[in-house]
mmCIF file of all heavy atoms in Angstrom:
data_model
loop_
_atom_site.group_PDB
_atom_site.id
_atom_site.type_symbol
_atom_site.label_atom_id
_atom_site.label_comp_id
_atom_site.label_asym_id
_atom_site.label_seq_id
_atom_site.Cartn_x
_atom_site.Cartn_y
_atom_site.Cartn_z
ATOM 1 N N ASN B 38 11.450 10.348 -3.660
ATOM 2 C CA ASN B 38 11.527 11.763 -3.345
ATOM 3 C C ASN B 38 11.013 12.565 -4.518
ATOM 4 O O ASN B 38 11.063 12.153 -5.659
ATOM 5 C CB ASN B 38 12.970 12.210 -3.094
ATOM 6 C CG ASN B 38 13.641 11.432 -2.008
ATOM 7 O OD1 ASN B 38 14.246 10.397 -2.259
ATOM 8 N ND2 ASN B 38 13.541 11.916 -0.779
ATOM 9 N N ASN B 39 10.540 13.767 -4.221
ATOM 10 C CA ASN B 39 10.208 14.724 -5.271
ATOM 11 C C ASN B 39 11.499 15.192 -5.890
ATOM 12 O O ASN B 39 12.414 15.583 -5.186
ATOM 13 C CB ASN B 39 9.409 15.892 -4.684
ATOM 14 C CG ASN B 39 8.822 16.778 -5.725
ATOM 15 O OD1 ASN B 39 9.344 16.896 -6.824
ATOM 16 N ND2 ASN B 39 7.728 17.431 -5.392
ATOM 17 N N LEU B 40 11.617 15.167 -7.201
ATOM 18 C CA LEU B 40 12.860 15.562 -7.877
ATOM 19 C C LEU B 40 12.867 17.035 -8.282
ATOM 20 O O LEU B 40 13.828 17.494 -8.901
ATOM 21 C CB LEU B 40 13.108 14.663 -9.084
ATOM 22 C CG LEU B 40 13.290 13.182 -8.759
ATOM 23 C CD1 LEU B 40 13.525 12.383 -10.017
ATOM 24 C CD2 LEU B 40 14.422 12.979 -7.756
ATOM 25 N N ILE B 41 11.819 17.776 -7.926
ATOM 26 C CA ILE B 41 11.813 19.223 -8.219
ATOM 27 C C ILE B 41 12.792 19.915 -7.277
ATOM 28 O O ILE B 41 12.783 19.683 -6.067
ATOM 29 C CB ILE B 41 10.376 19.803 -8.042
ATOM 30 C CG1 ILE B 41 9.451 19.153 -9.051
ATOM 31 C CG2 ILE B 41 10.384 21.320 -8.164
ATOM 32 C CD1 ILE B 41 7.978 19.513 -8.860
ATOM 33 N N LYS B 42 13.630 20.770 -7.846
ATOM 34 C CA LYS B 42 14.642 21.482 -7.066
ATOM 35 C C LYS B 42 13.971 22.231 -5.917
ATOM 36 O O LYS B 42 13.009 22.946 -6.087
ATOM 37 C CB LYS B 42 15.423 22.443 -7.956
ATOM 38 C CG LYS B 42 16.605 23.092 -7.260
ATOM 39 C CD LYS B 42 17.467 23.814 -8.268
ATOM 40 C CE LYS B 42 18.571 24.582 -7.618
ATOM 41 N NZ LYS B 42 19.556 23.771 -6.946
ATOM 42 N N GLY B 43 14.473 22.031 -4.705
ATOM 43 C CA GLY B 43 13.941 22.658 -3.510
ATOM 44 C C GLY B 43 12.899 21.824 -2.796
ATOM 45 O O GLY B 43 12.552 22.121 -1.661
ATOM 46 N N ARG B 44 12.416 20.757 -3.406
ATOM 47 C CA ARG B 44 11.390 19.897 -2.792
ATOM 48 C C ARG B 44 11.930 18.464 -2.585
ATOM 49 O O ARG B 44 11.183 17.533 -2.431
ATOM 50 C CB ARG B 44 10.119 19.822 -3.642
ATOM 51 C CG ARG B 44 9.405 21.110 -3.886
ATOM 52 C CD ARG B 44 8.806 21.840 -2.692
ATOM 53 N NE ARG B 44 8.521 21.085 -1.523
ATOM 54 C CZ ARG B 44 8.615 21.581 -0.276
ATOM 55 N NH1 ARG B 44 9.018 22.804 -0.068
ATOM 56 N NH2 ARG B 44 8.331 20.839 0.746
ATOM 57 N N GLU B 45 13.242 18.296 -2.549
ATOM 58 C CA GLU B 45 13.850 16.985 -2.466
ATOM 59 C C GLU B 45 13.503 16.232 -1.185
ATOM 60 O O GLU B 45 13.590 15.009 -1.139
ATOM 61 C CB GLU B 45 15.382 17.072 -2.587
ATOM 62 C CG GLU B 45 15.876 17.566 -3.924
ATOM 63 C CD GLU B 45 15.968 19.090 -4.015
ATOM 64 O OE1 GLU B 45 15.568 19.784 -3.069
ATOM 65 O OE2 GLU B 45 16.451 19.590 -5.052
ATOM 66 N N HIS B 46 13.108 16.940 -0.118
ATOM 67 C CA HIS B 46 12.750 16.277 1.129
ATOM 68 C C HIS B 46 11.311 15.762 1.119
ATOM 69 O O HIS B 46 10.910 14.992 1.998
ATOM 70 C CB HIS B 46 12.954 17.221 2.323
ATOM 71 C CG HIS B 46 14.370 17.559 2.585
ATOM 72 N ND1 HIS B 46 15.257 16.627 3.100
ATOM 73 C CD2 HIS B 46 15.072 18.687 2.387
ATOM 74 C CE1 HIS B 46 16.441 17.193 3.216
ATOM 75 N NE2 HIS B 46 16.367 18.441 2.789
ATOM 76 N N ASP B 47 10.497 16.162 0.129
ATOM 77 C CA ASP B 47 9.156 15.616 -0.017
ATOM 78 C C ASP B 47 9.250 14.156 -0.480
ATOM 79 O O ASP B 47 10.157 13.792 -1.212
ATOM 80 C CB ASP B 47 8.350 16.382 -1.053
ATOM 81 C CG ASP B 47 8.003 17.804 -0.632
ATOM 82 O OD1 ASP B 47 8.425 18.242 0.447
ATOM 83 O OD2 ASP B 47 7.294 18.464 -1.410
ATOM 84 N N LYS B 48 8.312 13.345 0.003
ATOM 85 C CA LYS B 48 8.261 11.941 -0.427
ATOM 86 C C LYS B 48 6.867 11.605 -0.893
ATOM 87 O O LYS B 48 5.893 12.181 -0.422
ATOM 88 C CB LYS B 48 8.658 11.020 0.743
ATOM 89 C CG LYS B 48 10.105 11.175 1.131
ATOM 90 C CD LYS B 48 10.484 10.205 2.250
ATOM 91 C CE LYS B 48 11.925 10.287 2.583
ATOM 92 N NZ LYS B 48 12.338 11.475 3.229
ATOM 93 N N TRP B 49 6.763 10.670 -1.818
ATOM 94 C CA TRP B 49 5.447 10.295 -2.400
ATOM 95 C C TRP B 49 5.480 8.818 -2.766
ATOM 96 O O TRP B 49 6.553 8.207 -2.841
ATOM 97 C CB TRP B 49 5.153 11.121 -3.635
ATOM 98 C CG TRP B 49 6.205 10.960 -4.691
ATOM 99 C CD1 TRP B 49 7.364 11.694 -4.804
ATOM 100 C CD2 TRP B 49 6.277 9.964 -5.708
ATOM 101 N NE1 TRP B 49 8.121 11.214 -5.848
ATOM 102 C CE2 TRP B 49 7.477 10.151 -6.421
ATOM 103 C CE3 TRP B 49 5.427 8.955 -6.104
ATOM 104 C CZ2 TRP B 49 7.835 9.367 -7.494
ATOM 105 C CZ3 TRP B 49 5.790 8.156 -7.172
ATOM 106 C CH2 TRP B 49 6.983 8.376 -7.859
ATOM 107 N N GLY B 50 4.303 8.260 -2.964
ATOM 108 C CA GLY B 50 4.251 6.865 -3.392
ATOM 109 C C GLY B 50 2.838 6.438 -3.721
ATOM 110 O O GLY B 50 1.859 7.041 -3.263
ATOM 111 N N ILE B 51 2.761 5.413 -4.544
ATOM 112 C CA ILE B 51 1.493 4.767 -4.846
ATOM 113 C C ILE B 51 1.758 3.283 -4.977
ATOM 114 O O ILE B 51 2.777 2.858 -5.533
ATOM 115 C CB ILE B 51 0.837 5.336 -6.137
ATOM 116 C CG1 ILE B 51 -0.533 4.708 -6.363
ATOM 117 C CG2 ILE B 51 1.743 5.171 -7.335
ATOM 118 C CD1 ILE B 51 -1.377 5.425 -7.374
#
Side-chain angles (χ1 to χ4, degrees):
N38 302 90
N39 190 331
L40 298 180
I41 297 173
K42 187 170 175 64
R44 299 296 337 146
E45 295 88 354
H46 293 289
D47 291 3
K48 293 183 176 69
W49 58 272
I51 184 166

